[in-house]
Amino acid sequence: MPDPSGYEACGYETRHDAGDALHMHRHGQAYAALVLEGHYIETSVDGPIECAPGTLLLHPRYHAHGNRFGRHGARVVNLLLPDDIASTALRALQVPQLAEAAAVFRHGAHDLRALIDASQAAPIATLQDWQSAFLDELQHGDAPIQRIARHAGVSSEHASRTFLRSHGMSPQVLRRELRCRQALSLLAGSESLVDIAARSGFADQSHLTRTVRAATGLPPSRLRRQINCVQDRDVAAMR
């Protein structure tokens, strides 16, 4: 019988050929991806992540990412995450036993939380020193890209090439994605949309609405109602 919440308890497998690439995309639901075979690099605002057998990625809703597959391709099993497990930020983990983890994805999703708790944080790619400062200015400032690059000691062309390779996005797109992600996290609170727009670096509420709608297909007001419905349901379930 289908779960009335829309949650699917069984994973679904995807296969990718050698040298394949998935351009930047996003999913409307939070989901987990477990690498069974092969290798790929996932790029996003969180930086590059080396995905090898045993890597477990927990994607939040609307997380934008791209994938570059290695010379052996990859086989991945994916599982939609229920609301009580869904993360608000990308998490990269390494499972202790690949065979047992794969069985959880295929047959025992009720054990997913225990699997996550038993997993360790996956290694994080090291960025060049100037990239970290560049990203901080992108997220928290309004300076033009050329000026940020100059402060970092690189040309804007070099910055663009480097971030396209490491994060899959140009600096301008990274700025928009960073601001959009911050706004999405603030929608769970009670601040007005005007205040969320200001705190997230948008020019005004209209700018916020256009960006969020382009990323999610929904305006911030509707997304907020969805979040509130989920929170209310979770609170009711705890009583």
Side-chain angles (χ1 to χ4, degrees), residues 128-170:
Q128 300 180 52
D129 290 341
W130 66 266
Q131 284 183 281
S132 298
F134 198 110
L135 286 168
D136 187 66
E137 286 200 58
L138 276 181
Q139 182 167 10
H140 301 293
D142 293 311
I145 302 300
Q146 293 83 351
R147 188 186 304 171
I148 298 176
R150 187 165 61 248
H151 288 169
V154 298
S155 68
S156 56
E157 292 79 10
H158 178 73
S160 183
R161 288 193 301 269
T162 302
F163 279 111
L164 279 171
R165 183 65 182 172
S166 62
H167 291 66
M169 306 179 198
S170 68

Side-chain angles (χ1 to χ4, degrees), residues 211-231:
T211 303
V212 170
R213 188 194 293 273
T216 68
L218 296 173
S221 57
R222 283 193 60 188
L223 279 174
R224 168 165 274 175
R225 286 196 293 272
Q226 284 188 0
I227 292 169
N228 288 339
C229 286
V230 169
Q231 290 176 337

Side-chain angles (χ1 to χ4, degrees), residues 21 27 41 62 104 142 164 180 191:
H27 302 263
I41 297 175
Y62 305 117
V104 168
D142 293 311
L164 279 171
C180 183
E191 289 183 83

Side-chain angles (χ1 to χ4, degrees), residues 153-198:
V154 298
S155 68
S156 56
E157 292 79 10
H158 178 73
S160 183
R161 288 193 301 269
T162 302
F163 279 111
L164 279 171
R165 183 65 182 172
S166 62
H167 291 66
M169 306 179 198
S170 68
Q172 195 63 45
V173 175
L174 271 171
R175 167 175 274 169
R176 184 176 68 235
E177 191 64 30
L178 286 165
R179 291 177 174 178
C180 183
R181 184 166 72 171
Q182 182 175 4
L184 291 176
S185 68
L186 292 173
L187 286 175
S190 59
E191 289 183 83
S192 69
L193 295 182
V194 171
D195 290 339
I196 290 175

Side-chain angles (χ1 to χ4, degrees), residues 10-11 45 76 110 115 142 153 218:
C10 297
V45 293
V76 182
H110 53 279
L115 173 63
D142 293 311
L218 296 173

